[in-house]
Amino acid sequence: MCSSDLVEDLRQRNTTPHVAQKQNSNIDGRTTRHRGYHTSQKKRKRIEEHFGWLKTVGGMRKARHIGTALVGWMFTLSSAVYNLVRIRNIKMAEAV
């Protein structure tokens, strides 16, 4: 399902779509004029940063284990390391 199909489907269900507004997307002023849309896009960026770090630094681009238990454990471990790095960076920024 492409983004425009998703937007139309959500609008038919009386749900506000909060997908990224791109050049050819169906997201218009009905959605982007609200404060909630901008808030959700900021939260989305934070989540995308997390998954980007997991894929590039945390070794989660390709699963190295077989089975949901081991892959889930690796995801949890990588997420914990990401949070520790974030805490360190936040503390260092506060010290300056």
Side-chain angles (χ1 to χ4, degrees):
M1 178 181 286
C2 69
S3 178
S4 60
D5 294 339
L6 175 66
V7 170
E8 290 303 318
D9 186 44
L10 289 172
R11 288 212 170 113
Q12 287 177 359
R13 296 175 188 215
N14 292 326
T15 304
T16 304
H18 279 220
V19 297
Q21 184 181 29
K22 296 183 180 175
Q23 190 174 21
N24 295 326
S25 71
N26 287 0
I27 298 295
D28 54 15
R30 292 180 286 179
T31 302
T32 59
R33 68 176 174 225
H34 300 289
R35 183 182 298 162
Y37 177 79
H38 297 288
T39 302
S40 72
Q41 293 304 301
K42 287 181 182 179
K43 298 293 184 187
R44 178 182 180 189
K45 183 179 185 310
R46 172 65 57 87
I47 293 167
E48 293 292 336
E49 287 173 355
H50 179 88
F51 283 105
W53 187 92
L54 286 175
K55 289 169 73 175
T56 57
V57 180
M60 295 300 297
R61 181 168 300 280
K62 182 177 179 183
R64 290 171 170 76
H65 302 286
I66 297 174
T68 55
L70 285 175
V71 173
W73 181 84
M74 280 300 298
F75 181 81
T76 302
L77 178 66
S78 296
S79 294
V81 171
Y82 174 77
N83 286 328
L84 290 172
V85 169
R86 267 191 74 220
I87 290 170
R88 182 200 64 190
N89 291 342
I90 291 169
K91 292 290 185 185
M92 289 178 69
E94 288 175 354
V96 172

mmCIF file of all heavy atoms in Angstrom, residues 17-59:
data_model
loop_
_atom_site.group_PDB
_atom_site.id
_atom_site.type_symbol
_atom_site.label_atom_id
_atom_site.label_comp_id
_atom_site.label_asym_id
_atom_site.label_seq_id
_atom_site.Cartn_x
_atom_site.Cartn_y
_atom_site.Cartn_z
ATOM 1 N N PRO A 17 -4.468 11.130 9.295
ATOM 2 C CA PRO A 17 -3.196 10.497 8.921
ATOM 3 C C PRO A 17 -2.019 11.369 9.352
ATOM 4 O O PRO A 17 -2.014 12.573 9.118
ATOM 5 C CB PRO A 17 -3.288 10.403 7.396
ATOM 6 C CG PRO A 17 -4.208 11.509 7.007
ATOM 7 C CD PRO A 17 -5.164 11.682 8.145
ATOM 8 N N HIS A 18 -1.034 10.771 9.979
ATOM 9 C CA HIS A 18 0.155 11.507 10.406
ATOM 10 C C HIS A 18 1.396 10.953 9.724
ATOM 11 O O HIS A 18 2.387 10.661 10.377
ATOM 12 C CB HIS A 18 0.302 11.442 11.932
ATOM 13 C CG HIS A 18 -0.572 12.421 12.631
ATOM 14 N ND1 HIS A 18 -0.164 13.130 13.721
ATOM 15 C CD2 HIS A 18 -1.841 12.825 12.386
ATOM 16 C CE1 HIS A 18 -1.140 13.920 14.135
ATOM 17 N NE2 HIS A 18 -2.174 13.736 13.334
ATOM 18 N N VAL A 19 1.340 10.796 8.427
ATOM 19 C CA VAL A 19 2.509 10.382 7.661
ATOM 20 C C VAL A 19 3.276 11.636 7.260
ATOM 21 O O VAL A 19 2.751 12.746 7.331
ATOM 22 C CB VAL A 19 2.121 9.550 6.417
ATOM 23 C CG1 VAL A 19 1.434 8.269 6.831
ATOM 24 C CG2 VAL A 19 1.239 10.343 5.487
ATOM 25 N N ALA A 20 4.512 11.467 6.850
ATOM 26 C CA ALA A 20 5.338 12.616 6.477
ATOM 27 C C ALA A 20 4.773 13.289 5.232
ATOM 28 O O ALA A 20 4.342 12.627 4.290
ATOM 29 C CB ALA A 20 6.772 12.174 6.216
ATOM 30 N N GLN A 21 4.792 14.612 5.239
ATOM 31 C CA GLN A 21 4.321 15.368 4.088
ATOM 32 C C GLN A 21 5.469 15.501 3.097
ATOM 33 O O GLN A 21 6.482 16.114 3.381
ATOM 34 C CB GLN A 21 3.826 16.751 4.500
ATOM 35 C CG GLN A 21 3.248 17.533 3.356
ATOM 36 C CD GLN A 21 2.787 18.915 3.778
ATOM 37 O OE1 GLN A 21 3.329 19.481 4.700
ATOM 38 N NE2 GLN A 21 1.801 19.442 3.086
ATOM 39 N N LYS A 22 5.296 14.890 1.942
ATOM 40 C CA LYS A 22 6.300 14.961 0.892
ATOM 41 C C LYS A 22 5.714 15.711 -0.289
ATOM 42 O O LYS A 22 4.556 16.118 -0.277
ATOM 43 C CB LYS A 22 6.752 13.561 0.499
ATOM 44 C CG LYS A 22 7.450 12.825 1.632
ATOM 45 C CD LYS A 22 7.941 11.487 1.180
ATOM 46 C CE LYS A 22 8.635 10.796 2.335
ATOM 47 N NZ LYS A 22 9.030 9.445 1.997
ATOM 48 N N GLN A 23 6.516 15.862 -1.321
ATOM 49 C CA GLN A 23 6.103 16.669 -2.466
ATOM 50 C C GLN A 23 4.825 16.145 -3.116
ATOM 51 O O GLN A 23 3.944 16.911 -3.470
ATOM 52 C CB GLN A 23 7.240 16.720 -3.482
ATOM 53 C CG GLN A 23 7.013 17.728 -4.587
ATOM 54 C CD GLN A 23 8.235 17.844 -5.478
ATOM 55 O OE1 GLN A 23 9.068 16.955 -5.522
ATOM 56 N NE2 GLN A 23 8.335 18.939 -6.191
ATOM 57 N N ASN A 24 4.706 14.858 -3.291
ATOM 58 C CA ASN A 24 3.547 14.290 -3.985
ATOM 59 C C ASN A 24 2.596 13.553 -3.049
ATOM 60 O O ASN A 24 1.859 12.679 -3.478
ATOM 61 C CB ASN A 24 4.017 13.331 -5.088
ATOM 62 C CG ASN A 24 4.779 14.051 -6.174
ATOM 63 O OD1 ASN A 24 4.481 15.197 -6.492
ATOM 64 N ND2 ASN A 24 5.774 13.399 -6.735
ATOM 65 N N SER A 25 2.602 13.881 -1.759
ATOM 66 C CA SER A 25 1.730 13.168 -0.835
ATOM 67 C C SER A 25 0.353 13.800 -0.791
ATOM 68 O O SER A 25 0.138 14.916 -1.262
ATOM 69 C CB SER A 25 2.341 13.149 0.567
ATOM 70 O OG SER A 25 2.290 14.435 1.137
ATOM 71 N N ASN A 26 -0.581 13.075 -0.231
ATOM 72 C CA ASN A 26 -1.949 13.565 -0.102
ATOM 73 C C ASN A 26 -2.174 14.306 1.203
ATOM 74 O O ASN A 26 -3.303 14.635 1.519
ATOM 75 C CB ASN A 26 -2.929 12.402 -0.199
ATOM 76 C CG ASN A 26 -3.048 11.880 -1.602
ATOM 77 O OD1 ASN A 26 -2.400 12.375 -2.511
ATOM 78 N ND2 ASN A 26 -3.869 10.874 -1.792
ATOM 79 N N ILE A 27 -1.141 14.557 1.967
ATOM 80 C CA ILE A 27 -1.265 15.311 3.210
ATOM 81 C C ILE A 27 -1.363 16.789 2.846
ATOM 82 O O ILE A 27 -0.519 17.339 2.156
ATOM 83 C CB ILE A 27 -0.055 15.064 4.128
ATOM 84 C CG1 ILE A 27 0.036 13.599 4.508
ATOM 85 C CG2 ILE A 27 -0.121 15.925 5.357
ATOM 86 C CD1 ILE A 27 -1.102 13.115 5.343
ATOM 87 N N ASP A 28 -2.425 17.416 3.307
ATOM 88 C CA ASP A 28 -2.629 18.822 2.978
ATOM 89 C C ASP A 28 -2.856 19.621 4.259
ATOM 90 O O ASP A 28 -2.592 19.144 5.354
ATOM 91 C CB ASP A 28 -3.792 18.984 1.999
ATOM 92 C CG ASP A 28 -5.065 18.326 2.503
ATOM 93 O OD1 ASP A 28 -5.141 18.007 3.701
ATOM 94 O OD2 ASP A 28 -5.992 18.128 1.694
ATOM 95 N N GLY A 29 -3.349 20.820 4.109
ATOM 96 C CA GLY A 29 -3.540 21.726 5.231
ATOM 97 C C GLY A 29 -4.513 21.231 6.275
ATOM 98 O O GLY A 29 -4.459 21.657 7.429
ATOM 99 N N ARG A 30 -5.404 20.321 5.912
ATOM 100 C CA ARG A 30 -6.340 19.778 6.894
ATOM 101 C C ARG A 30 -5.600 19.088 8.025
ATOM 102 O O ARG A 30 -6.062 19.082 9.160
ATOM 103 C CB ARG A 30 -7.291 18.762 6.247
ATOM 104 C CG ARG A 30 -8.266 19.363 5.257
ATOM 105 C CD ARG A 30 -9.142 18.286 4.675
ATOM 106 N NE ARG A 30 -8.366 17.499 3.713
ATOM 107 C CZ ARG A 30 -8.841 16.462 3.041
ATOM 108 N NH1 ARG A 30 -10.090 16.071 3.248
ATOM 109 N NH2 ARG A 30 -8.100 15.816 2.178
ATOM 110 N N THR A 31 -4.468 18.503 7.701
ATOM 111 C CA THR A 31 -3.694 17.764 8.697
ATOM 112 C C THR A 31 -2.564 18.605 9.260
ATOM 113 O O THR A 31 -2.355 18.655 10.467
ATOM 114 C CB THR A 31 -3.112 16.480 8.062
ATOM 115 O OG1 THR A 31 -4.196 15.696 7.561
ATOM 116 C CG2 THR A 31 -2.342 15.675 9.073
ATOM 117 N N THR A 32 -1.824 19.284 8.392
ATOM 118 C CA THR A 32 -0.595 19.960 8.827
ATOM 119 C C THR A 32 -0.844 21.230 9.622
ATOM 120 O O THR A 32 0.079 21.730 10.256
ATOM 121 C CB THR A 32 0.286 20.301 7.612
ATOM 122 O OG1 THR A 32 -0.447 21.138 6.720
ATOM 123 C CG2 THR A 32 0.721 19.037 6.894
ATOM 124 N N ARG A 33 -2.058 21.751 9.621
ATOM 125 C CA ARG A 33 -2.292 23.003 10.350
ATOM 126 C C ARG A 33 -2.419 22.781 11.856
ATOM 127 O O ARG A 33 -2.350 23.725 12.630
ATOM 128 C CB ARG A 33 -3.551 23.677 9.833
ATOM 129 C CG ARG A 33 -4.818 22.940 10.158
ATOM 130 C CD ARG A 33 -6.050 23.696 9.714
ATOM 131 N NE ARG A 33 -7.225 22.862 9.927
ATOM 132 C CZ ARG A 33 -8.189 22.698 9.062
ATOM 133 N NH1 ARG A 33 -8.129 23.303 7.897
ATOM 134 N NH2 ARG A 33 -9.219 21.934 9.336
ATOM 135 N N HIS A 34 -2.569 21.547 12.287
ATOM 136 C CA HIS A 34 -2.767 21.264 13.702
ATOM 137 C C HIS A 34 -1.436 21.053 14.422
ATOM 138 O O HIS A 34 -0.476 20.537 13.852
ATOM 139 C CB HIS A 34 -3.647 20.025 13.884
ATOM 140 C CG HIS A 34 -5.003 20.180 13.275
ATOM 141 N ND1 HIS A 34 -5.957 21.010 13.813
ATOM 142 C CD2 HIS A 34 -5.564 19.631 12.170
ATOM 143 C CE1 HIS A 34 -7.046 20.969 13.078
ATOM 144 N NE2 HIS A 34 -6.831 20.130 12.063
ATOM 145 N N ARG A 35 -1.392 21.472 15.669
ATOM 146 C CA ARG A 35 -0.189 21.334 16.490
ATOM 147 C C ARG A 35 0.185 19.862 16.688
ATOM 148 O O ARG A 35 1.353 19.502 16.737
ATOM 149 C CB ARG A 35 -0.410 21.991 17.841
ATOM 150 C CG ARG A 35 0.825 21.941 18.722
ATOM 151 C CD ARG A 35 0.595 22.557 20.072
ATOM 152 N NE ARG A 35 0.252 23.960 19.925
ATOM 153 C CZ ARG A 35 -0.340 24.679 20.865
ATOM 154 N NH1 ARG A 35 -0.676 24.127 21.997
ATOM 155 N NH2 ARG A 35 -0.601 25.954 20.653
ATOM 156 N N GLY A 36 -0.819 18.988 16.762
ATOM 157 C CA GLY A 36 -0.574 17.565 16.962
ATOM 158 C C GLY A 36 0.237 16.940 15.841
ATOM 159 O O GLY A 36 1.037 16.035 16.072
ATOM 160 N N TYR A 37 0.034 17.407 14.618
ATOM 161 C CA TYR A 37 0.793 16.875 13.487
ATOM 162 C C TYR A 37 2.270 17.201 13.643
ATOM 163 O O TYR A 37 3.129 16.343 13.464
ATOM 164 C CB TYR A 37 0.268 17.441 12.164
ATOM 165 C CG TYR A 37 1.062 16.974 10.963
ATOM 166 C CD1 TYR A 37 0.855 15.711 10.441
ATOM 167 C CD2 TYR A 37 2.024 17.786 10.376
ATOM 168 C CE1 TYR A 37 1.582 15.264 9.349
ATOM 169 C CE2 TYR A 37 2.750 17.350 9.282
ATOM 170 C CZ TYR A 37 2.528 16.091 8.778
ATOM 171 O OH TYR A 37 3.257 15.648 7.710
ATOM 172 N N HIS A 38 2.575 18.430 14.010
ATOM 173 C CA HIS A 38 3.975 18.828 14.182
ATOM 174 C C HIS A 38 4.620 18.094 15.356
ATOM 175 O O HIS A 38 5.783 17.688 15.279
ATOM 176 C CB HIS A 38 4.073 20.339 14.353
ATOM 177 C CG HIS A 38 3.601 21.087 13.153
ATOM 178 N ND1 HIS A 38 4.304 21.127 11.977
ATOM 179 C CD2 HIS A 38 2.472 21.791 12.917
ATOM 180 C CE1 HIS A 38 3.641 21.825 11.077
ATOM 181 N NE2 HIS A 38 2.517 22.246 11.621
ATOM 182 N N THR A 39 3.858 17.886 16.421
ATOM 183 C CA THR A 39 4.365 17.135 17.560
ATOM 184 C C THR A 39 4.668 15.695 17.164
ATOM 185 O O THR A 39 5.717 15.147 17.510
ATOM 186 C CB THR A 39 3.350 17.153 18.715
ATOM 187 O OG1 THR A 39 3.086 18.508 19.078
ATOM 188 C CG2 THR A 39 3.867 16.390 19.915
ATOM 189 N N SER A 40 3.759 15.070 16.411
ATOM 190 C CA SER A 40 3.973 13.680 16.015
ATOM 191 C C SER A 40 5.172 13.552 15.079
ATOM 192 O O SER A 40 5.897 12.553 15.129
ATOM 193 C CB SER A 40 2.723 13.093 15.362
ATOM 194 O OG SER A 40 2.508 13.628 14.078
ATOM 195 N N GLN A 41 5.422 14.553 14.258
ATOM 196 C CA GLN A 41 6.578 14.490 13.358
ATOM 197 C C GLN A 41 7.881 14.616 14.132
ATOM 198 O O GLN A 41 8.889 13.990 13.790
ATOM 199 C CB GLN A 41 6.477 15.559 12.276
ATOM 200 C CG GLN A 41 5.334 15.335 11.306
ATOM 201 C CD GLN A 41 5.394 13.983 10.637
ATOM 202 O OE1 GLN A 41 6.355 13.639 9.975
ATOM 203 N NE2 GLN A 41 4.356 13.187 10.832
ATOM 204 N N LYS A 42 7.886 15.420 15.208
ATOM 205 C CA LYS A 42 9.082 15.516 16.057
ATOM 206 C C LYS A 42 9.337 14.203 16.781
ATOM 207 O O LYS A 42 10.473 13.748 16.882
ATOM 208 C CB LYS A 42 8.932 16.656 17.057
ATOM 209 C CG LYS A 42 9.047 18.017 16.435
ATOM 210 C CD LYS A 42 8.921 19.109 17.474
ATOM 211 C CE LYS A 42 8.990 20.471 16.827
ATOM 212 N NZ LYS A 42 8.846 21.552 17.805
ATOM 213 N N LYS A 43 8.273 13.585 17.291
ATOM 214 C CA LYS A 43 8.409 12.283 17.962
ATOM 215 C C LYS A 43 8.865 11.225 16.965
ATOM 216 O O LYS A 43 9.665 10.350 17.296
ATOM 217 C CB LYS A 43 7.087 11.862 18.599
ATOM 218 C CG LYS A 43 6.586 12.789 19.654
ATOM 219 C CD LYS A 43 7.476 12.774 20.866
ATOM 220 C CE LYS A 43 6.880 13.652 21.946
ATOM 221 N NZ LYS A 43 7.769 13.804 23.068
ATOM 222 N N ARG A 44 8.361 11.307 15.745
ATOM 223 C CA ARG A 44 8.749 10.355 14.712
ATOM 224 C C ARG A 44 10.242 10.444 14.429
ATOM 225 O O ARG A 44 10.919 9.430 14.276
ATOM 226 C CB ARG A 44 7.958 10.641 13.442
ATOM 227 C CG ARG A 44 8.318 9.742 12.299
ATOM 228 C CD ARG A 44 7.537 10.112 11.067
ATOM 229 N NE ARG A 44 7.926 9.220 9.994
ATOM 230 C CZ ARG A 44 7.572 9.377 8.750
ATOM 231 N NH1 ARG A 44 6.794 10.378 8.413
ATOM 232 N NH2 ARG A 44 7.969 8.543 7.826
ATOM 233 N N LYS A 45 10.769 11.663 14.391
ATOM 234 C CA LYS A 45 12.202 11.850 14.150
ATOM 235 C C LYS A 45 13.019 11.185 15.250
ATOM 236 O O LYS A 45 14.024 10.530 14.988
ATOM 237 C CB LYS A 45 12.542 13.332 14.062
ATOM 238 C CG LYS A 45 14.006 13.592 13.742
ATOM 239 C CD LYS A 45 14.294 15.071 13.639
ATOM 240 C CE LYS A 45 15.690 15.389 13.208
ATOM 241 N NZ LYS A 45 16.750 14.725 13.914
ATOM 242 N N ARG A 46 12.592 11.328 16.504
ATOM 243 C CA ARG A 46 13.300 10.704 17.616
ATOM 244 C C ARG A 46 13.317 9.186 17.477
ATOM 245 O O ARG A 46 14.328 8.534 17.702
ATOM 246 C CB ARG A 46 12.641 11.125 18.928
ATOM 247 C CG ARG A 46 13.125 10.432 20.177
ATOM 248 C CD ARG A 46 14.584 10.723 20.530
ATOM 249 N NE ARG A 46 14.882 12.113 20.684
ATOM 250 C CZ ARG A 46 14.753 12.812 21.797
ATOM 251 N NH1 ARG A 46 14.273 12.244 22.875
ATOM 252 N NH2 ARG A 46 15.088 14.074 21.844
ATOM 253 N N ILE A 47 12.183 8.612 17.075
ATOM 254 C CA ILE A 47 12.103 7.164 16.902
ATOM 255 C C ILE A 47 12.964 6.713 15.734
ATOM 256 O O ILE A 47 13.674 5.700 15.814
ATOM 257 C CB ILE A 47 10.637 6.739 16.723
ATOM 258 C CG1 ILE A 47 9.877 6.986 18.023
ATOM 259 C CG2 ILE A 47 10.514 5.291 16.296
ATOM 260 C CD1 ILE A 47 8.386 6.902 17.911
ATOM 261 N N GLU A 48 12.946 7.464 14.641
ATOM 262 C CA GLU A 48 13.769 7.117 13.480
ATOM 263 C C GLU A 48 15.254 7.184 13.816
ATOM 264 O O GLU A 48 16.045 6.376 13.317
ATOM 265 C CB GLU A 48 13.450 8.038 12.300
ATOM 266 C CG GLU A 48 12.059 7.856 11.725
ATOM 267 C CD GLU A 48 11.859 6.522 11.022
ATOM 268 O OE1 GLU A 48 12.845 5.921 10.570
ATOM 269 O OE2 GLU A 48 10.702 6.084 10.936
ATOM 270 N N GLU A 49 15.647 8.132 14.653
ATOM 271 C CA GLU A 49 17.049 8.208 15.093
ATOM 272 C C GLU A 49 17.440 6.936 15.825
ATOM 273 O O GLU A 49 18.535 6.402 15.637
ATOM 274 C CB GLU A 49 17.265 9.414 16.007
ATOM 275 C CG GLU A 49 17.245 10.734 15.295
ATOM 276 C CD GLU A 49 17.291 11.909 16.262
ATOM 277 O OE1 GLU A 49 17.248 11.683 17.495
ATOM 278 O OE2 GLU A 49 17.359 13.054 15.782
ATOM 279 N N HIS A 50 16.556 6.457 16.670
ATOM 280 C CA HIS A 50 16.825 5.245 17.439
ATOM 281 C C HIS A 50 17.041 4.048 16.514
ATOM 282 O O HIS A 50 18.037 3.334 16.627
ATOM 283 C CB HIS A 50 15.659 4.971 18.398
ATOM 284 C CG HIS A 50 15.813 3.748 19.226
ATOM 285 N ND1 HIS A 50 16.457 3.756 20.428
ATOM 286 C CD2 HIS A 50 15.425 2.472 19.007
ATOM 287 C CE1 HIS A 50 16.456 2.533 20.934
ATOM 288 N NE2 HIS A 50 15.824 1.734 20.087
ATOM 289 N N PHE A 51 16.111 3.839 15.583
ATOM 290 C CA PHE A 51 16.246 2.707 14.668
ATOM 291 C C PHE A 51 17.432 2.875 13.722
ATOM 292 O O PHE A 51 18.087 1.896 13.368
ATOM 293 C CB PHE A 51 14.950 2.488 13.888
ATOM 294 C CG PHE A 51 13.891 1.809 14.705
ATOM 295 C CD1 PHE A 51 12.816 2.525 15.193
ATOM 296 C CD2 PHE A 51 13.983 0.462 15.011
ATOM 297 C CE1 PHE A 51 11.838 1.906 15.961
ATOM 298 C CE2 PHE A 51 13.021 -0.163 15.777
ATOM 299 C CZ PHE A 51 11.947 0.564 16.259
ATOM 300 N N GLY A 52 17.733 4.107 13.326
ATOM 301 C CA GLY A 52 18.914 4.342 12.499
ATOM 302 C C GLY A 52 20.189 3.968 13.232
ATOM 303 O O GLY A 52 21.096 3.344 12.660
ATOM 304 N N TRP A 53 20.272 4.330 14.517
ATOM 305 C CA TRP A 53 21.452 3.971 15.321
ATOM 306 C C TRP A 53 21.547 2.459 15.466
ATOM 307 O O TRP A 53 22.627 1.886 15.351
ATOM 308 C CB TRP A 53 21.371 4.625 16.702
ATOM 309 C CG TRP A 53 22.618 4.442 17.505
ATOM 310 C CD1 TRP A 53 23.681 5.285 17.566
ATOM 311 C CD2 TRP A 53 22.936 3.346 18.369
ATOM 312 N NE1 TRP A 53 24.641 4.778 18.417
ATOM 313 C CE2 TRP A 53 24.204 3.577 18.923
ATOM 314 C CE3 TRP A 53 22.273 2.179 18.719
ATOM 315 C CZ2 TRP A 53 24.824 2.713 19.800
ATOM 316 C CZ3 TRP A 53 22.889 1.307 19.601
ATOM 317 C CH2 TRP A 53 24.161 1.575 20.129
ATOM 318 N N LEU A 54 20.408 1.819 15.720
ATOM 319 C CA LEU A 54 20.416 0.363 15.864
ATOM 320 C C LEU A 54 20.932 -0.319 14.599
ATOM 321 O O LEU A 54 21.670 -1.308 14.676
ATOM 322 C CB LEU A 54 19.009 -0.156 16.174
ATOM 323 C CG LEU A 54 18.485 0.098 17.576
ATOM 324 C CD1 LEU A 54 17.046 -0.361 17.676
ATOM 325 C CD2 LEU A 54 19.330 -0.606 18.608
ATOM 326 N N LYS A 55 20.570 0.215 13.442
ATOM 327 C CA LYS A 55 20.990 -0.412 12.197
ATOM 328 C C LYS A 55 22.443 -0.123 11.854
ATOM 329 O O LYS A 55 23.150 -0.995 11.356
ATOM 330 C CB LYS A 55 20.084 0.052 11.055
ATOM 331 C CG LYS A 55 18.682 -0.539 11.148
ATOM 332 C CD LYS A 55 17.722 0.110 10.195
ATOM 333 C CE LYS A 55 17.973 -0.288 8.779
ATOM 334 N NZ LYS A 55 16.967 0.255 7.853
ATOM 335 N N THR A 56 22.917 1.092 12.117
ATOM 336 C CA THR A 56 24.275 1.440 11.706
ATOM 337 C C THR A 56 25.319 1.064 12.755
ATOM 338 O O THR A 56 26.357 0.524 12.414
ATOM 339 C CB THR A 56 24.401 2.942 11.413
ATOM 340 O OG1 THR A 56 24.014 3.676 12.566
ATOM 341 C CG2 THR A 56 23.547 3.335 10.229
ATOM 342 N N VAL A 57 25.047 1.339 14.015
ATOM 343 C CA VAL A 57 26.027 1.114 15.075
ATOM 344 C C VAL A 57 25.722 -0.144 15.864
ATOM 345 O O VAL A 57 26.621 -0.899 16.224
ATOM 346 C CB VAL A 57 26.084 2.340 16.032
ATOM 347 C CG1 VAL A 57 27.086 2.126 17.139
ATOM 348 C CG2 VAL A 57 26.391 3.599 15.252
ATOM 349 N N GLY A 58 24.456 -0.382 16.138
ATOM 350 C CA GLY A 58 24.051 -1.472 17.011
ATOM 351 C C GLY A 58 24.046 -2.852 16.384
ATOM 352 O O GLY A 58 23.730 -3.831 17.048
ATOM 353 N N GLY A 59 24.384 -2.952 15.115
ATOM 354 C CA GLY A 59 24.482 -4.256 14.474
ATOM 355 C C GLY A 59 23.142 -4.919 14.184
ATOM 356 O O GLY A 59 23.074 -6.142 14.071
#
